[in-house]
Amino acid sequence: MDKLDLLKNLSAEFKRSDEIAKQVSLPISTLASLISQLEGEELIEVKREKKLIAQLTQEGAEAAVSELPERKLISQLSSEEEIGSLLQRLKLEPVALQWAKKNNWVMLLNAGGKTLVKKIASSESEQEKLLEKLKRDSEIKSGEEKVAKELRDRRLVKLLEQTLLFVKVSKKGVVALKAETQDKLELVNQVTAQMVKQGFSGSFREYDVGAEVNPVYAGKRHPLQLLADEMREVLVGMGFEEMNGPLVESSFWNFDVMFMPQNHPNRDLMDTFFLKKPNRANVPEKLASIVKEVQLNGWKTGSKGCANAWSVEEAQKTILRTHTTATTFRYLEKIGKKEIKTPCKFFSINKVFRNEAIDRTHLPEFHQIEGFVVADNLNLRSLMGVFTDFYKQLGISKIRFKPVFNPYTEPSMEIFGYHNSLSKWVEIGNSGIFRPETTAPLGIKQNVIAWGLALERAAMILFEVDDIRKVVGASTDLQWIRDFPELPEVLR
Ligand code: PHE
């Protein structure tokens, strides 16, 4: 029962709290606390009355059933008797005589040195009357106090002061009760066609805009897409243009043009997905013959080459591109042919494939952010500057470079970013300056700085995810995706 239920059980007339407790079957203590709450809100009026209660002691209870000693004395006294022998005969204390005297039942006479007790009356005493009444009703009314105190002094009763609560509904309470029932009966949640047709004079329930509702998972961009879009923004902001190339590539554009010998381990079935259909692609004949020279003897580049055999059939084999650097080289060819003017900066954010086992940090298909710059006087510092700038705009400020070997760049650097929740450095890119063996055949004389970054690795750092399978693929954590904000703070 709450305070409102209690309010409904009260009336406009004062009622005693112990009666209310019985009526609503609540323990007095619970009722008292509800009453004080209602009183605090002025929904009830409370009247307090003090009353005196007499509780019979054990002795008092016995006296109430049998009799008081003075009654025994008077009923056993015939007319008069010597005081000592009387008390002895009836086994009474002197107090019995004392009260008999006070009741005016007896008087004491002096007769020749002896004291005689003489009976004069035996009407019911005030104390006897009160004791009798207390068997039914413990309250001491006004006028009874003096006798009650006598009984207390005789240790026949204990006197207690009690506060009685009388409670009734206040004016404000009546209004509140009315409002409550009206609220239940009349507040309407929805407009119906009938109300529109026939008219409606009631009131509508107010909207609770703070109410809890079920989440709505509307369609939105995948977190990886968000990141890719953000990276695109950043790169475009840095003056890069977007490039695109085919997913299905020839080995030529994916490997040969990059000074990778045909027996290079990357070109193994174990690392690369080869296609059965189509299983051959055209390669540009003139460029292919130069690439062959470069690989066998260095052509005009001053290099010693990197292979002792080269077949055009191997170069024609079709694969799913293993990196978007294939696209970079298609664009570099256009630059060499002056179809695109320098200086220029290009990027792509696209899918690549590698025949790799899936684990926390590897997927067989993922995305690379690829980029390159062709301009005069580019060097390693230019490359490091571009990265520092790019990553800073994405919120990754802790980056590190490490020298590495790539067949097609010299020098080359791996890029590491600090993963906060893993507390370690994670590889997020590979980069370098293209070797003359790769750029000279295309007719490019300037330094070309270039890089490839795994989008998924950058995502792991920025989203603080330690398992990429949570973000993409069959074991995606759907709830994580649903809860991912459309405009994540981390990408700002
Ligand atoms: N192609 C390299 C990779 O897949 C990245 C790269 C691009 C490195 C361009 C150097 C220059 O990791």
Side-chain angles (χ1 to χ4, degrees), residues 26-43:
L26 275 183
I28 280 283
S29 57
T30 316
L31 182 74
S33 108
L34 290 176
I35 285 178
S36 82
Q37 286 177 44
L38 287 171
E39 190 184 16
E41 292 170 39
E42 294 173 0
L43 296 172

Side-chain angles (χ1 to χ4, degrees), residues 323 325 354 368 370 406 408-409 430-432 450-452:
H323 51 185
T325 317
R354 287 183 196 175
Q368 273 188 331
E370 177 96 13
N406 277 330
Y408 40 94
T409 50
N430 190 354
S431 65
W451 67 90

Side-chain angles (χ1 to χ4, degrees), residues 102-116:
K102 276 195 184 156
N103 291 343
N104 288 323
W105 289 345
V106 293
M107 54 185 291
L108 300 184
L109 301 173
N110 238 329
K114 279 183 188 171
T115 306
L116 295 181

Side-chain angles (χ1 to χ4, degrees), residues 53-109:
I53 294 287
Q55 251 175 16
L56 292 171
T57 60
Q58 200 184 338
E59 206 182 323
E62 279 163 16
V65 254
S66 49
E67 53 188 8
L68 289 170
E70 60 268 28
R71 172 57 64 191
K72 187 175 179 188
L73 182 140
I74 200 68
S75 57
Q76 304 282 324
L77 179 66
S78 36
S79 62
E80 52 182 59
E81 196 171 337
E82 196 272 324
I83 185 166
S85 78
L86 174 68
L87 294 179
Q88 214 169 16
R89 178 168 72 83
L90 299 177
K91 297 200 177 69
L92 286 171
E93 302 287 319
V95 70
L97 185 62
Q98 203 180 308
W99 283 110
K101 229 172 84 191
K102 276 195 184 156
N103 291 343
N104 288 323
W105 289 345
V106 293
M107 54 185 291
L108 300 184
L109 301 173

Side-chain angles (χ1 to χ4, degrees), residues 89-324:
R89 178 168 72 83
L90 299 177
K91 297 200 177 69
L92 286 171
E93 302 287 319
V95 70
L97 185 62
Q98 203 180 308
W99 283 110
K101 229 172 84 191
K102 276 195 184 156
N103 291 343
N104 288 323
W105 289 345
V106 293
M107 54 185 291
L108 300 184
L109 301 173
N110 238 329
K114 279 183 188 171
T115 306
L116 295 181
V117 183
K118 181 177 162 53
K119 183 173 180 173
I120 49 177
S122 66
S123 55
E124 196 176 22
S125 72
E126 290 304 310
Q127 290 188 10
E128 282 176 322
K129 281 184 196 156
L130 187 56
L131 265 181
E132 187 56 30
K133 191 208 98 168
L134 287 179
K135 285 200 267 186
R136 294 169 274 112
D137 176 5
S138 58
E139 193 180 336
I140 303 299
K141 303 270 158 54
S142 66
E144 293 173 338
E145 288 98 340
K146 186 178 155 268
V147 183
K149 280 184 185 140
E150 286 170 6
L151 289 178
R152 181 196 60 197
D153 293 340
R154 294 185 69 179
R155 287 175 215 229
L156 297 173
V157 299
K158 271 190 185 153
L159 293 183
L160 308 170
E161 208 164 60
Q162 238 180 33
T163 307
L164 280 184
L165 289 186
F166 295 85
V167 179
K168 72 172 196 182
V169 182
S170 70
K171 276 199 186 117
K172 193 175 159 190
V174 174
V175 174
L177 277 175
K178 239 188 222 156
E180 223 256 342
T181 39
Q182 250 174 16
D183 193 38
K184 283 228 173 82
L185 295 176
E186 285 169 27
L187 281 192
V188 168
N189 292 320
Q190 263 179 346
V191 185
T192 62
Q194 209 181 16
M195 286 154 89
V196 176
K197 271 191 234 154
Q198 301 179 353
F200 171 72
S201 58
S203 352
F204 290 101
R205 186 180 299 283
E206 272 177 41
Y207 279 120
D208 179 2
V209 289
E212 287 274 336
V213 291
N214 288 334
V216 175
Y217 298 118
K220 62 177 185 185
R221 288 180 291 172
H222 187 282
L224 263 189
Q225 188 64 55
L226 274 175
L227 181 56
D229 290 349
E230 185 68 15
M231 286 184 165
R232 184 176 286 114
E233 284 283 300
V234 170
L235 286 163
V236 168
M238 289 169 77
F240 284 79
E241 287 176 71
E242 189 157 7
M243 59 176 176
N244 275 297
L247 290 175
V248 173
E249 266 295 3
S250 62
S251 294
F252 181 79
W253 284 112
N254 197 85
F255 300 122
D256 294 279
V257 79
M258 280 173 241
F259 202 49
M260 288 168 79
Q262 293 187 335
N263 65 357
H264 191 279
N266 279 2
R267 305 178 65 154
D268 203 86
L269 272 174
M270 298 289 288
D271 284 324
T272 303
F273 293 111
F274 286 85
L275 273 89
K276 282 193 185 137
K277 259 191 215 170
N279 66 350
R280 286 278 177 276
N282 288 333
V283 299
E285 257 175 60
K286 213 175 130 207
L287 182 58
S289 67
I290 299 173
V291 163
K292 179 179 178 177
E293 289 297 303
V294 170
Q295 292 221 353
L296 295 179
N297 55 48
W299 188 55
K300 295 187 221 163
T301 61
S303 168
K304 287 183 183 153
C306 65
N308 35 31
W310 194 86
S311 87
V312 75
E313 286 77 23
E314 188 62 38
Q316 286 170 337
K317 280 187 182 166
T318 49
I319 59 163
L320 294 177
R321 70 177 170 210
T322 65
H323 51 185
T324 40

Side-chain angles (χ1 to χ4, degrees), residues 14-25 28 31:
F14 277 114
K15 246 195 226 173
R16 235 167 72 175
S17 63
D18 54 342
E19 280 159 23
I20 299 168
K22 244 185 251 162
Q23 177 198 330
V24 296
S25 40
I28 280 283
L31 182 74

